[in-house]
Amino acid sequence: MNNRYGTLASWVYNLDKPVGRSFGDIEYYRERLSGCVEPVLEPAVGNGRFFVPMLEAGIDIRGFDPSDEMLCYCRAACAARSLEGDLSRQTFESFSYGTTFAAIVVPLGSFQLLTGLDQAKAVLKRFYDHLAPNGRLMIDLDPIGGFLGASGNIRSWTTEDGDLLTLTDNRVETDFIAQTTVSQLRYEHWRHTKLVDSELELFSLRWWGVNEFAMSLREAGFTDVVASGNYQYGRAPQKDDETISFEASRLA
């Protein structure tokens, strides 16, 4: 199964992107969401990197994720801070709530885990249906340049116990028609030079053109679509930007 986020993958993610680590998104969305009086939803909440700071800022945020391992990290982070996080195990394609939301936020490119065009468009419509009137959808995307860089990278992290975690990333497929990449991620846990455990996952992502995504938002029913570069609201994306943020509204 692609994009599984199993035990080692989640461990590495939690070490690499701990709760509170910001790429400019936490500060940006804390300001964009400051006026929300109704609940906010974060799909693909992960380990709580973004979710927990929003709770700490007093935002009534809910979250879901398909990975039990990721949700364990998120729940533990909430408990350590005496925060009550409304979390559940759900997927982009089938999530359901009995309430609507003032905003739905998908930071840091998580939406690009949806690699099928029809699949992604169906999820955009699902987001629309879960927003209250005048609710806003906020999604970060990585531009195409981030998908076409060097492959074969090896990264490592040292755990609190002195063990070593390594990640080897090899791109095995780039489909320029489907606008997707598939990478083979090998996670390894080492102790005293001995391999303790390993995981192999296929990691798939889809890139979008700026106008293509804006049109898909409008096709799903959204209006007032704004694309911003590098977390500067209203500043049109530029070719060297690392992040493109979209914001769109449901008016009825």
Side-chain angles (χ1 to χ4, degrees), residues 32-223:
R32 299 298 302 162
L33 297 170
S34 61
C36 289
V37 295
E38 295 177 301
V40 172
L41 176 65
E42 183 191 359
V45 71
N47 67 331
R49 179 198 68 85
F50 177 91
F51 182 82
V52 171
M54 295 301 110
L55 276 179
E56 291 177 320
I59 295 167
D60 179 10
I61 189 168
R62 322 284 169 84
F64 69 82
D65 200 278
S67 168
D68 286 324
E69 290 86 351
M70 283 291 209
L71 286 171
C72 283
Y73 282 110
C74 191
R75 290 188 176 107
C78 290
R81 295 162 176 80
S82 299
L83 297 170
E84 292 188 13
D86 187 333
L87 298 163
S88 59
R89 185 179 183 276
Q90 301 191 70
T91 67
F92 277 119
E93 297 90 341
S94 62
F95 78 90
S96 180
Y97 288 87
T99 186
T100 55
F101 297 92
I104 296 175
V105 187
V106 192
L108 215 63
S110 295
F111 187 78
Q112 289 164 284
L113 295 168
L114 296 165
T115 54
L117 180 59
D118 291 342
Q119 173 195 33
K121 287 185 175 182
V123 172
L124 289 179
K125 185 62 170 65
R126 200 170 192 85
F127 288 160
Y128 183 91
D129 291 341
H130 278 77
L131 283 171
N134 300 313
R136 293 174 291 164
L137 176 64
M138 305 172 179
I139 294 180
D140 292 346
L141 298 181
D142 295 328
I144 185 174
F147 289 76
L148 304 179
S151 181
N153 297 322
I154 301 177
R155 302 177 64 197
S156 63
W157 297 262
T158 301
T159 72
E160 292 181 357
D161 296 328
D163 290 357
L164 185 70
L165 293 175
T166 61
L167 167 59
T168 305
D169 178 353
N170 287 298
R171 188 174 305 114
V172 296
E173 180 182 317
T174 300
D175 187 331
F176 288 95
I177 301 300
Q179 299 173 207
T180 58
T181 60
V182 180
S183 297
Q184 187 182 76
L185 305 182
R186 187 172 76 246
Y187 298 90
E188 295 178 327
H189 177 196
W190 298 85
R191 180 178 298 146
H192 305 311
T193 74
K194 302 293 185 182
L195 183 62
V196 177
D197 195 7
S198 64
E199 285 179 359
L200 190 65
E201 294 190 359
L202 291 177
F203 191 75
S204 303
L205 292 169
R206 186 184 197 278
W207 72 78
W208 293 77
V210 173
N211 291 332
E212 175 193 25
F213 195 70
M215 287 189 292
S216 294
L217 287 168
R218 294 188 181 100
E219 183 181 329
F222 290 98
T223 60

Side-chain angles (χ1 to χ4, degrees), residues 206-248:
R206 186 184 197 278
W207 72 78
W208 293 77
V210 173
N211 291 332
E212 175 193 25
F213 195 70
M215 287 189 292
S216 294
L217 287 168
R218 294 188 181 100
E219 183 181 329
F222 290 98
T223 60
D224 299 329
V225 178
V226 177
S228 307
N230 280 358
Y231 299 118
Q232 299 176 56
Y233 182 76
R235 199 265 281 162
Q238 301 172 7
K239 67 176 183 178
D240 294 326
D241 287 343
E242 295 181 357
T243 303
I244 301 170
S245 300
F246 288 83
E247 186 168 323

